[in-house]
Amino acid sequence: MNKLKSAVMYECSTKIKAIGLFYLIEYLIVALIFAIVAIFTNGKDTGSNILEISTVIFVSVIGVLGYKEDFKALIQNGYTRKYIFTATVCMFIFMCASMALIDTVIGNTIHYFNNNYFTLYGILYGYDNPFLNWLWLTVFYLSFCSLFYLAVLIINKVGKRASLFISIVLGGVIVIIIALFRFVFSSETVHNIAEFSMKAMGFMPDGTKNVLFPVISFLIAGAALEIASYTIIRRTELK
Amino acid sequence: MSTIQIKNVTKRYKDITALDNISISFEFGKIYGFLGRNGAGKSTLINIIVNRIFADQGEVLIDDIPAKENMRVQEKIFCMSATDLYDGDLKVKDHYKWTNRFYDNFDLKKAYTLSEKFNLDTNKKFKGLSKGYQSIFKLIIALSLNVPYIIFDEPVLGLDANHRELFYSLLLKEFENGKKTFIIATHLIEEVSNIIEEIVLIDEGKILLQESVESLLEKGYSVSGLAGDVDRYCENRNVIGFDELGSLKIAYVLGEKTALPQGSNLRISAMNLQKVFVKMTEKGGW
């Protein structure tokens, strides 16, 4: 366990500086925008909303770097792929939970003082439960981390040319799915799928909202992506 | 059994066989020279031993423990690689700190002492070091780790002559202090010839020989003279190569030295390790 703890600590501590820099730069820019917009609108507008999107981009980048940098460093130090994968997942959870906490606190505080600022969670589910806000954001970030981690593992495994081919195929699949929904599936099937998707995101047919459903949905998606990542990383070789 | 055992290891990259059914062992308490030309398969085998890549067939055992994906061997083996696997943004002292956490047997104090000996600035980031100092940093990590098997892949890359000498003397001191196995993969054969006890020669993915340096040098010699005389001498002998200059010829032979016939114009000379290596890999086998 000590070995795993060291690997987790290594992965987390090498990201803390980057997270600090990210928030420093982000909120400096946001403060500047807020100030300029406040001057020109007499404080009626904020000029910026849903700052969580920039965190999504950041955690996605970390998802990529989680493989590129840490895999090399840990394999140099004799770690097995199983340990490296476990340490990376722990780091993702730590990072996403911490950033979700910061974003929840700051987002809700800004919204409290200025109703014209909206958070992503607030727009979708309201502002009445900060804990669920944090939990939802954590699993939301986690699924993006996992997605990009899987993507970089696939690219590393199959090479650039094959990755390009896969992305073209994926694009094609999306076009086919859209066509299936528009021209092939019956309206009842489309309605059922839409209803299921809405439920998965917590929007019930009776108009109520259940935040635990999207939390579970993102958890399942994240877990599926991580399982896929593990099946790849366990056969990944150093290049 | 205290050895690194490589059993029937094969590794292919598409249509290239990088390692072809290799079986060798590195015994505990020796300094090995792991030699081969570029692309011979040295790094491939090293990477398989330290679990960085996988063999298509065969297995590696370290003290009878399978090395593939096994944390139990982490405290047994370390590989100082020519490739940079360290985080370039971390300072040298931070790398020391983390290595100390990753391994139970890392001597942090020794790492700092060696840094002073090599004049390595531990406050510098890894990426800020010159190529030579990056090698020095990796050497210091390897020398400060108290694990039984240490592999050096091109250890003196970019090091000046003084630092190379310092490294070799520290390596020998380390070997005298506590028994370890050092495997040195290098192209600088003559530099390591006085240090290594045993040589493993690899070419085109196959092991050409594994023998002690002493016995190899004992049975390796060259015969020079007129081409016809040399050719006659070489009949039924294990000749690993020739050099020709006009009517003169030099034959490189492995085997028991026999006395030259009386009145012969031939001359027998000793052969150095580098010559044995060059001639054996030129021929591609014996």
Side-chain angles (χ1 to χ4, degrees), chain A residues 3 6-7 9-10 13 72-83 234-238, chain B residues 11 51-54 68-71 74-75 78-79 81 85-87 90 98-99 101-104:
Chain A
K3 298 276 181 190
S6 302
M9 281 175 69
Y10 173 80
S13 67
K72 283 197 292 182
L74 291 174
I75 209 138
Q76 162 68 64
N77 285 293
Y79 277 84
T80 61
R81 285 149 188 84
K82 193 177 170 182
Y83 270 67
R234 63 192 287 270
R235 293 297 305 156
T236 294
E237 298 188 333
L238 189 74
Chain B
K11 178 73 179 174
N51 191 42
R52 290 176 189 172
I53 60 172
F54 301 115
K68 187 182 169 186
E69 282 294 274
N70 194 342
M71 276 304 280
Q74 194 236 11
E75 291 285 344
F78 181 82
C79 174
S81 28
L85 301 175
Y86 289 97
D87 185 342
L90 280 186
W98 284 112
T99 311
R101 290 187 183 176
F102 293 147
Y103 291 90
D104 298 336

Side-chain angles (χ1 to χ4, degrees), chain B residues 6 19 44 46 68 70 72 103 158 172 213 242-243 247 253 270:
Chain B
I6 291 133
L19 297 174
T44 306
I46 288 171
K68 187 182 169 186
N70 194 342
R72 284 168 64 206
Y103 291 90
L172 282 176
V213 174
F242 289 105
D243 279 331
S247 59
V253 187

Side-chain angles (χ1 to χ4, degrees), chain B residues 12-43:
Chain B
R12 290 185 195 91
Y13 292 104
K14 291 181 182 166
D15 52 347
I16 297 164
T17 305
L19 297 174
D20 190 4
N21 197 28
I22 279 182
S23 293
I24 42 164
S25 58
F26 295 99
E27 283 171 31
F28 179 72
K30 281 187 177 179
I31 304 180
Y32 286 88
F34 188 34
L35 312 177
R37 299 180 69 179
N38 290 329
K42 296 191 301 289
S43 294

Side-chain angles (χ1 to χ4, degrees), chain A residues 41-53:
Chain A
T41 63
N42 291 325
K44 285 178 186 168
D45 213 337
T46 56
S48 191
N49 276 304
I50 318 175
L51 289 172
E52 295 92 328
I53 296 300

Side-chain angles (χ1 to χ4, degrees), chain B residues 62-112:
Chain B
I62 298 171
D63 293 350
D64 292 329
I65 303 167
K68 187 182 169 186
E69 282 294 274
N70 194 342
M71 276 304 280
R72 284 168 64 206
V73 301
Q74 194 236 11
E75 291 285 344
K76 287 186 177 287
I77 191 161
F78 181 82
C79 174
M80 176 254 166
S81 28
T83 358
D84 293 330
L85 301 175
Y86 289 97
D87 185 342
D89 287 322
L90 280 186
K91 287 178 181 174
V92 169
K93 63 178 181 185
D94 291 326
H95 278 299
Y96 289 165
K97 179 188 83 181
W98 284 112
T99 311
N100 193 32
R101 290 187 183 176
F102 293 147
Y103 291 90
D104 298 336
N105 294 306
F106 182 71
D107 190 339
L108 192 60
K109 203 175 156 190
K110 188 174 175 183
Y112 278 105

